[in-house]
mmCIF file of all heavy atoms in Angstrom:
data_model
loop_
_atom_site.group_PDB
_atom_site.id
_atom_site.type_symbol
_atom_site.label_atom_id
_atom_site.label_comp_id
_atom_site.label_asym_id
_atom_site.label_seq_id
_atom_site.Cartn_x
_atom_site.Cartn_y
_atom_site.Cartn_z
ATOM 1 N N PRO A 1291 -7.387 -18.811 -9.987
ATOM 2 C CA PRO A 1291 -7.228 -17.378 -10.289
ATOM 3 C C PRO A 1291 -8.071 -16.462 -9.409
ATOM 4 O O PRO A 1291 -7.646 -15.346 -9.087
ATOM 5 C CB PRO A 1291 -7.661 -17.282 -11.751
ATOM 6 C CG PRO A 1291 -7.411 -18.644 -12.312
ATOM 7 C CD PRO A 1291 -7.704 -19.602 -11.188
ATOM 8 N N TYR A 1292 -9.250 -16.916 -8.988
ATOM 9 C CA TYR A 1292 -10.077 -16.082 -8.111
ATOM 10 C C TYR A 1292 -9.417 -15.938 -6.738
ATOM 11 O O TYR A 1292 -9.355 -14.837 -6.182
ATOM 12 C CB TYR A 1292 -11.463 -16.693 -7.959
ATOM 13 C CG TYR A 1292 -12.360 -15.934 -7.002
ATOM 14 C CD1 TYR A 1292 -12.705 -14.617 -7.243
ATOM 15 C CD2 TYR A 1292 -12.850 -16.544 -5.847
ATOM 16 C CE1 TYR A 1292 -13.517 -13.918 -6.369
ATOM 17 C CE2 TYR A 1292 -13.668 -15.859 -4.972
ATOM 18 C CZ TYR A 1292 -13.995 -14.540 -5.240
ATOM 19 O OH TYR A 1292 -14.798 -13.859 -4.364
ATOM 20 N N THR A 1293 -8.906 -17.034 -6.201
ATOM 21 C CA THR A 1293 -8.200 -16.964 -4.917
ATOM 22 C C THR A 1293 -6.992 -16.057 -5.016
ATOM 23 O O THR A 1293 -6.733 -15.247 -4.119
ATOM 24 C CB THR A 1293 -7.756 -18.367 -4.475
ATOM 25 O OG1 THR A 1293 -8.851 -19.267 -4.522
ATOM 26 C CG2 THR A 1293 -7.194 -18.334 -3.060
ATOM 27 N N LEU A 1294 -6.253 -16.172 -6.116
ATOM 28 C CA LEU A 1294 -5.096 -15.314 -6.323
ATOM 29 C C LEU A 1294 -5.524 -13.848 -6.343
ATOM 30 O O LEU A 1294 -4.866 -12.987 -5.747
ATOM 31 C CB LEU A 1294 -4.407 -15.677 -7.641
ATOM 32 C CG LEU A 1294 -3.157 -14.860 -8.005
ATOM 33 C CD1 LEU A 1294 -2.064 -15.039 -6.956
ATOM 34 C CD2 LEU A 1294 -2.638 -15.265 -9.382
ATOM 35 N N GLY A 1295 -6.654 -13.558 -6.988
ATOM 36 C CA GLY A 1295 -7.162 -12.193 -7.002
ATOM 37 C C GLY A 1295 -7.531 -11.696 -5.617
ATOM 38 O O GLY A 1295 -7.270 -10.542 -5.265
ATOM 39 N N LEU A 1296 -8.142 -12.565 -4.799
ATOM 40 C CA LEU A 1296 -8.493 -12.184 -3.433
ATOM 41 C C LEU A 1296 -7.243 -11.880 -2.611
ATOM 42 O O LEU A 1296 -7.190 -10.893 -1.874
ATOM 43 C CB LEU A 1296 -9.295 -13.297 -2.762
ATOM 44 C CG LEU A 1296 -10.721 -13.546 -3.234
ATOM 45 C CD1 LEU A 1296 -11.325 -14.718 -2.469
ATOM 46 C CD2 LEU A 1296 -11.593 -12.304 -3.052
ATOM 47 N N VAL A 1297 -6.237 -12.743 -2.729
ATOM 48 C CA VAL A 1297 -5.005 -12.545 -1.969
ATOM 49 C C VAL A 1297 -4.318 -11.257 -2.393
ATOM 50 O O VAL A 1297 -3.831 -10.479 -1.553
ATOM 51 C CB VAL A 1297 -4.061 -13.762 -2.159
ATOM 52 C CG1 VAL A 1297 -2.689 -13.480 -1.548
ATOM 53 C CG2 VAL A 1297 -4.665 -15.010 -1.523
ATOM 54 N N GLU A 1298 -4.305 -10.978 -3.697
ATOM 55 C CA GLU A 1298 -3.627 -9.773 -4.183
ATOM 56 C C GLU A 1298 -4.435 -8.511 -3.903
ATOM 57 O O GLU A 1298 -3.905 -7.410 -3.999
ATOM 58 C CB GLU A 1298 -3.353 -9.904 -5.678
ATOM 59 C CG GLU A 1298 -2.283 -10.939 -5.991
ATOM 60 C CD GLU A 1298 -1.919 -10.974 -7.464
ATOM 61 O OE1 GLU A 1298 -2.731 -10.485 -8.286
ATOM 62 O OE2 GLU A 1298 -0.837 -11.492 -7.786
ATOM 63 N N SER A 1299 -5.723 -8.664 -3.570
ATOM 64 C CA SER A 1299 -6.543 -7.484 -3.263
ATOM 65 C C SER A 1299 -6.402 -7.035 -1.812
ATOM 66 O O SER A 1299 -6.923 -5.984 -1.428
ATOM 67 C CB SER A 1299 -8.018 -7.767 -3.555
ATOM 68 O OG SER A 1299 -8.553 -8.714 -2.641
ATOM 69 N N VAL A 1300 -5.683 -7.812 -0.994
ATOM 70 C CA VAL A 1300 -5.436 -7.402 0.388
ATOM 71 C C VAL A 1300 -4.496 -6.203 0.368
ATOM 72 O O VAL A 1300 -3.450 -6.243 -0.297
ATOM 73 C CB VAL A 1300 -4.812 -8.556 1.197
ATOM 74 C CG1 VAL A 1300 -4.441 -8.094 2.601
ATOM 75 C CG2 VAL A 1300 -5.774 -9.734 1.276
ATOM 76 N N PRO A 1301 -4.829 -5.105 1.059
ATOM 77 C CA PRO A 1301 -3.971 -3.913 1.027
ATOM 78 C C PRO A 1301 -2.550 -4.208 1.484
ATOM 79 O O PRO A 1301 -2.339 -4.880 2.492
ATOM 80 C CB PRO A 1301 -4.668 -2.945 1.992
ATOM 81 C CG PRO A 1301 -6.078 -3.407 2.035
ATOM 82 C CD PRO A 1301 -6.034 -4.892 1.876
ATOM 83 N N LYS A 1302 -1.552 -3.704 0.713
ATOM 84 C CA LYS A 1302 -0.146 -3.896 1.051
ATOM 85 C C LYS A 1302 0.571 -2.557 0.924
ATOM 86 O O LYS A 1302 0.357 -1.822 -0.052
ATOM 87 C CB LYS A 1302 0.501 -4.903 0.102
ATOM 88 C CG LYS A 1302 -0.137 -6.279 0.096
ATOM 89 C CD LYS A 1302 0.530 -7.163 -0.934
ATOM 90 C CE LYS A 1302 -0.119 -8.546 -0.976
ATOM 91 N NZ LYS A 1302 -1.509 -8.498 -1.465
ATOM 92 N N PRO A 1303 1.440 -2.231 1.894
ATOM 93 C CA PRO A 1303 2.220 -0.993 1.747
ATOM 94 C C PRO A 1303 3.107 -1.060 0.513
ATOM 95 O O PRO A 1303 3.673 -2.103 0.198
ATOM 96 C CB PRO A 1303 3.054 -0.959 3.037
ATOM 97 C CG PRO A 1303 2.346 -1.858 3.994
ATOM 98 C CD PRO A 1303 1.703 -2.922 3.156
ATOM 99 N N ARG A 1304 3.249 0.058 -0.181
ATOM 100 C CA ARG A 1304 4.091 0.088 -1.371
ATOM 101 C C ARG A 1304 5.584 0.126 -1.031
ATOM 102 O O ARG A 1304 6.425 -0.117 -1.879
ATOM 103 C CB ARG A 1304 3.749 1.321 -2.217
ATOM 104 C CG ARG A 1304 2.435 1.228 -2.956
ATOM 105 C CD ARG A 1304 2.218 2.491 -3.762
ATOM 106 N NE ARG A 1304 0.951 2.459 -4.473
ATOM 107 C CZ ARG A 1304 0.781 1.993 -5.700
ATOM 108 N NH1 ARG A 1304 1.808 1.479 -6.339
ATOM 109 N NH2 ARG A 1304 -0.401 2.021 -6.284
ATOM 110 N N GLY A 1305 5.898 0.470 0.199
ATOM 111 C CA GLY A 1305 7.309 0.556 0.570
ATOM 112 C C GLY A 1305 7.730 2.000 0.798
ATOM 113 O O GLY A 1305 7.020 2.948 0.494
ATOM 114 N N GLU A 1306 8.923 2.154 1.309
ATOM 115 C CA GLU A 1306 9.395 3.494 1.663
ATOM 116 C C GLU A 1306 9.474 4.406 0.449
ATOM 117 O O GLU A 1306 9.181 5.591 0.518
ATOM 118 C CB GLU A 1306 10.789 3.382 2.312
ATOM 119 C CG GLU A 1306 10.795 2.630 3.629
ATOM 120 C CD GLU A 1306 9.999 3.355 4.695
ATOM 121 O OE1 GLU A 1306 9.839 4.584 4.603
ATOM 122 O OE2 GLU A 1306 9.529 2.694 5.631
ATOM 123 N N ALA A 1307 9.849 3.842 -0.703
ATOM 124 C CA ALA A 1307 10.019 4.680 -1.883
ATOM 125 C C ALA A 1307 8.708 5.270 -2.367
ATOM 126 O O ALA A 1307 8.676 6.263 -3.079
ATOM 127 C CB ALA A 1307 10.660 3.872 -3.008
ATOM 128 N N ALA A 1308 7.602 4.645 -1.966
ATOM 129 C CA ALA A 1308 6.304 5.111 -2.438
ATOM 130 C C ALA A 1308 5.585 5.962 -1.400
ATOM 131 O O ALA A 1308 4.417 6.239 -1.538
ATOM 132 C CB ALA A 1308 5.426 3.910 -2.816
ATOM 133 N N SER A 1309 6.309 6.370 -0.379
ATOM 134 C CA SER A 1309 5.670 7.174 0.657
ATOM 135 C C SER A 1309 5.255 8.530 0.105
ATOM 136 O O SER A 1309 5.928 9.107 -0.756
ATOM 137 C CB SER A 1309 6.626 7.378 1.843
ATOM 138 O OG SER A 1309 6.884 6.145 2.473
ATOM 139 N N GLU A 1310 4.136 9.030 0.621
ATOM 140 C CA GLU A 1310 3.660 10.351 0.230
ATOM 141 C C GLU A 1310 4.490 11.422 0.943
ATOM 142 O O GLU A 1310 5.226 11.130 1.896
ATOM 143 C CB GLU A 1310 2.180 10.483 0.599
ATOM 144 C CG GLU A 1310 1.277 9.540 -0.176
ATOM 145 C CD GLU A 1310 -0.177 9.730 0.197
ATOM 146 O OE1 GLU A 1310 -0.436 10.547 1.092
ATOM 147 O OE2 GLU A 1310 -1.034 9.071 -0.407
ATOM 148 N N PRO A 1311 4.383 12.669 0.525
ATOM 149 C CA PRO A 1311 5.100 13.761 1.214
ATOM 150 C C PRO A 1311 4.713 13.815 2.689
ATOM 151 O O PRO A 1311 3.614 13.400 3.071
ATOM 152 C CB PRO A 1311 4.628 15.018 0.465
ATOM 153 C CG PRO A 1311 4.205 14.514 -0.874
ATOM 154 C CD PRO A 1311 3.652 13.134 -0.641
ATOM 155 N N PRO A 1312 5.607 14.314 3.531
ATOM 156 C CA PRO A 1312 5.315 14.385 4.973
ATOM 157 C C PRO A 1312 4.038 15.152 5.257
ATOM 158 O O PRO A 1312 3.715 16.128 4.582
ATOM 159 C CB PRO A 1312 6.544 15.122 5.537
ATOM 160 C CG PRO A 1312 7.620 14.865 4.538
ATOM 161 C CD PRO A 1312 6.935 14.816 3.203
ATOM 162 N N GLY A 1313 3.299 14.686 6.272
ATOM 163 C CA GLY A 1313 2.086 15.347 6.696
ATOM 164 C C GLY A 1313 2.385 16.425 7.709
ATOM 165 O O GLY A 1313 3.544 16.796 7.931
ATOM 166 N N PRO A 1314 1.345 16.909 8.398
ATOM 167 C CA PRO A 1314 1.532 18.010 9.361
ATOM 168 C C PRO A 1314 2.500 17.668 10.475
ATOM 169 O O PRO A 1314 3.195 18.543 10.983
ATOM 170 C CB PRO A 1314 0.111 18.238 9.904
ATOM 171 C CG PRO A 1314 -0.791 17.721 8.819
ATOM 172 C CD PRO A 1314 -0.062 16.566 8.200
ATOM 173 N N GLY A 1315 2.579 16.402 10.869
ATOM 174 C CA GLY A 1315 3.477 16.028 11.950
ATOM 175 C C GLY A 1315 4.890 15.774 11.499
ATOM 176 O O GLY A 1315 5.746 15.394 12.297
ATOM 177 N N GLY A 1316 5.160 15.935 10.193
ATOM 178 C CA GLY A 1316 6.507 15.733 9.692
ATOM 179 C C GLY A 1316 6.816 14.300 9.310
ATOM 180 O O GLY A 1316 7.926 13.998 8.885
ATOM 181 N N LYS A 1317 5.842 13.383 9.457
ATOM 182 C CA LYS A 1317 6.080 11.982 9.149
ATOM 183 C C LYS A 1317 5.526 11.649 7.769
ATOM 184 O O LYS A 1317 4.438 12.087 7.400
ATOM 185 C CB LYS A 1317 5.419 11.077 10.200
ATOM 186 C CG LYS A 1317 6.043 11.182 11.579
ATOM 187 C CD LYS A 1317 5.406 10.182 12.535
ATOM 188 C CE LYS A 1317 6.061 10.240 13.905
ATOM 189 N NZ LYS A 1317 5.450 9.258 14.848
ATOM 190 N N ALA A 1318 6.297 10.877 7.024
ATOM 191 C CA ALA A 1318 5.840 10.454 5.698
ATOM 192 C C ALA A 1318 4.707 9.452 5.842
ATOM 193 O O ALA A 1318 4.718 8.609 6.739
ATOM 194 C CB ALA A 1318 6.994 9.830 4.917
ATOM 195 N N LYS A 1319 3.732 9.563 4.950
ATOM 196 C CA LYS A 1319 2.604 8.639 4.968
ATOM 197 C C LYS A 1319 2.759 7.636 3.841
ATOM 198 O O LYS A 1319 2.955 8.023 2.691
ATOM 199 C CB LYS A 1319 1.282 9.405 4.805
ATOM 200 C CG LYS A 1319 1.004 10.383 5.912
ATOM 201 C CD LYS A 1319 -0.336 11.061 5.692
ATOM 202 C CE LYS A 1319 -0.289 11.967 4.478
ATOM 203 N NZ LYS A 1319 -1.594 12.658 4.268
ATOM 204 N N LYS A 1320 2.683 6.353 4.172
ATOM 205 C CA LYS A 1320 2.822 5.322 3.150
ATOM 206 C C LYS A 1320 1.520 5.163 2.374
ATOM 207 O O LYS A 1320 0.451 5.089 2.963
ATOM 208 C CB LYS A 1320 3.193 3.973 3.788
ATOM 209 C CG LYS A 1320 4.602 3.915 4.322
ATOM 210 C CD LYS A 1320 4.927 2.499 4.806
ATOM 211 C CE LYS A 1320 6.355 2.421 5.330
ATOM 212 N NZ LYS A 1320 6.667 1.062 5.811
ATOM 213 N N ARG A 1321 1.629 5.137 1.059
ATOM 214 C CA ARG A 1321 0.481 4.811 0.242
ATOM 215 C C ARG A 1321 0.257 3.309 0.296
ATOM 216 O O ARG A 1321 1.177 2.532 0.533
ATOM 217 C CB ARG A 1321 0.697 5.253 -1.210
ATOM 218 C CG ARG A 1321 0.791 6.765 -1.355
ATOM 219 C CD ARG A 1321 0.524 7.173 -2.792
ATOM 220 N NE ARG A 1321 1.393 6.519 -3.740
ATOM 221 C CZ ARG A 1321 2.557 7.004 -4.138
ATOM 222 N NH1 ARG A 1321 3.007 8.145 -3.628
ATOM 223 N NH2 ARG A 1321 3.282 6.371 -5.032
ATOM 224 N N VAL A 1322 -0.948 2.903 0.069
ATOM 225 C CA VAL A 1322 -1.305 1.487 0.093
ATOM 226 C C VAL A 1322 -1.694 1.055 -1.312
ATOM 227 O O VAL A 1322 -2.465 1.734 -1.993
ATOM 228 C CB VAL A 1322 -2.480 1.237 1.080
ATOM 229 C CG1 VAL A 1322 -2.945 -0.209 0.973
ATOM 230 C CG2 VAL A 1322 -2.038 1.549 2.502
ATOM 231 N N ARG A 1323 -1.115 -0.061 -1.747
ATOM 232 C CA ARG A 1323 -1.401 -0.589 -3.071
ATOM 233 C C ARG A 1323 -2.639 -1.470 -3.007
ATOM 234 O O ARG A 1323 -2.725 -2.398 -2.218
ATOM 235 C CB ARG A 1323 -0.202 -1.412 -3.565
ATOM 236 C CG ARG A 1323 -0.421 -2.115 -4.883
ATOM 237 C CD ARG A 1323 0.906 -2.613 -5.443
ATOM 238 N NE ARG A 1323 1.629 -3.424 -4.481
ATOM 239 C CZ ARG A 1323 1.476 -4.740 -4.360
ATOM 240 N NH1 ARG A 1323 0.613 -5.372 -5.115
ATOM 241 N NH2 ARG A 1323 2.184 -5.412 -3.477
#
């Protein structure tokens, strides 16, 4: 379970659906889970 926790704690993109609103350059910023 500790190893599983370490692996799941590695930052992963949430995907396109979870992108934040576009920034100043007009590009959407992906949130990281």
Side-chain angles (χ1 to χ4, degrees):
Y1292 177 61
T1293 309
L1294 180 61
L1296 289 178
V1297 171
E1298 290 185 340
S1299 69
V1300 175
K1302 301 177 181 66
R1304 287 181 181 269
E1306 296 295 335
S1309 295
E1310 295 181 357
K1317 293 184 178 180
K1319 298 182 292 181
K1320 289 186 179 179
R1321 295 199 304 269
V1322 173
R1323 175 166 53 89

